[in-house]
Amino acid sequence: MRKTISIPISPELAAELESARGEFVQKFGREPTGEDPIFFDPDCDTPVAMSEEKVTAMIVEAAREAGIREELIYAFEKSGYIVTKENQHLIPPEGLFAHNAAIDEYRRKHDRGKRT
């Protein structure tokens, strides 16, 4: 038997989860079960989780639309981490190193391109 636990969530997350449930019902004509992915691939005819590549592309698109600096987007693509002052203590040292190294790499590449 599966153990049920409760985790408090923000109102914003609750709204996103409810929206995802509604999209699932609209796409597949039924309520999701515990075996279905919360965020599914809308291009598939059956409920399957989105690929990591598709999720990354969606995050990058949203970051660009939000005006996030390109070196931070590049660092996310290279390291898989979105680092902020609020969450950096949660990221393992190797993740922070990879993120910062990617920012440095981006800056080196683009500084070099500006020189003539």
Side-chain angles (χ1 to χ4, degrees):
M1 181 163 73
R2 230 174 159 171
K3 184 178 179 180
T4 302
I5 61 170
S6 294
I7 301 170
I9 60 173
S10 69
E12 295 84 7
L13 179 56
E16 285 298 319
L17 292 172
E18 181 56 29
S19 176
R21 187 200 65 76
E23 290 172 13
F24 185 98
V25 171
Q26 184 176 5
K27 172 86 176 169
F28 302 111
R30 64 175 177 82
E31 290 290 329
T33 68
E35 303 304 314
D36 292 315
I38 293 172
F39 300 105
F40 60 91
D41 189 330
D43 297 327
C44 292
D45 294 331
T46 58
V48 296
M50 276 190 259
S51 69
E52 185 176 336
E53 293 80 14
K54 190 172 269 194
V55 170
T56 297
M58 289 174 65
I59 292 170
V60 166
E61 180 182 346
R64 286 200 172 106
E65 287 176 7
I68 303 296
R69 294 189 330 260
E70 281 299 319
E71 67 258 28
L72 298 176
I73 295 171
Y74 182 82
F76 164 70
E77 291 179 295
K78 295 282 282 194
S79 71
Y81 290 100
I82 298 172
V83 179
T84 67
K85 290 178 184 176
E86 291 80 15
N87 76 355
Q88 64 185 357
H89 69 282
L90 302 171
I91 299 172
E94 62 274 10
L96 288 173
F97 179 83
H99 182 268
N100 293 335
I103 289 173
D104 291 342
E105 179 181 316
Y106 179 91
R107 289 176 178 164
R108 278 192 310 275
K109 285 181 179 181
H110 288 81
D111 284 346
R112 189 175 306 138
K114 292 179 184 175
R115 295 183 185 144
T116 55

